[in-house]
Amino acid sequence: MTYRHALPLALLLAMPVVAAPVAAQPERVTHVVRTPFHDVVATLHRAIQNQKMVLVCEADAQKGAAGRGVTIRGNRVLMVFRNDFAVRLLSADAGAGFEAPIRIYVHENADGTTTVSYRTPSAVFAPYRHPEGQAVATALDPIFRTIVEEAVVMGSASPR
């Protein structure tokens, strides 16, 4: 390789690599509210119960970080499902069980607002083409929409 070819190659290799921002997942529904984080989480818990769903698990990154002596803003993942839907889904396509429970992600923003987001069940289960699996997803869509909207509306109300 001659010097005249080596210099452009060296310059190309020395250029910093800039990663493109990651695009949001399809069918992700996001709400930002001016309500304190812990109030939004509490209203989500009530909304989950109101819709007769089950909080299968709750991951609390803030609590985990605090256990290590690190302070971060509020950050939770609520994993929500119900056994009758699980049985129908697994009977239709056991592979779809990988996607359950559906996650609702809640995080506290630097400006004091709270972001709530989730992927619609129909988007989560779209790769699984069994008609009964699709029926489960279609039944879950309005339930999750109601849970999040109830929490956002309830959480947006001023404290009494």
Side-chain angles (χ1 to χ4, degrees):
M1 181 181 292
T2 65
Y3 173 75
R4 143 179 128 203
H5 293 102
L7 183 59
L9 179 60
L11 290 173
L12 180 65
L13 293 174
M15 291 177 63
V17 176
V18 179
V22 176
Q25 292 175 316
E27 302 299 323
R28 181 181 293 179
V29 178
T30 301
H31 297 276
V32 178
V33 295
R34 296 192 181 281
T35 307
F37 170 80
H38 292 288
D39 293 345
V40 172
V41 171
T43 59
L44 277 167
H45 285 177
R46 284 192 298 275
I48 290 164
Q49 289 179 346
N50 290 347
Q51 290 301 306
K52 310 281 190 265
M53 295 298 285
V54 176
L55 181 61
V56 176
C57 184
E58 184 169 356
D60 185 340
Q62 185 180 40
K63 185 177 180 180
R68 296 182 27 243
V70 177
T71 302
I72 64 171
R73 288 188 289 277
N75 190 300
R76 302 262 179 102
V77 179
L78 308 178
M79 290 157 260
V80 180
F81 219 67
R82 197 170 74 206
N83 184 260
D84 60 313
F85 288 119
V87 169
R88 287 175 57 198
L89 183 68
L90 295 171
S91 295
D93 185 341
F98 179 81
E99 308 296 345
I102 302 293
R103 297 180 311 272
I104 300 173
Y105 180 49
V106 188
H107 63 92
E108 184 176 23
N109 301 307
D111 63 0
T113 60
T114 301
T115 300
V116 179
S117 61
Y118 73 102
R119 285 188 68 214
T120 62
S122 58
V124 170
F125 295 115
Y128 307 93
R129 307 310 282 160
H130 191 285
E132 179 62 11
Q134 294 299 307
V136 168
T138 300
L140 287 169
D141 278 345
I143 292 171
F144 276 84
R145 181 175 48 253
T146 301
I147 288 169
V148 171
E149 287 176 357
E150 186 177 330
V152 169
V153 170
M154 288 170 43
S156 297
S158 14
R160 294 179 190 242

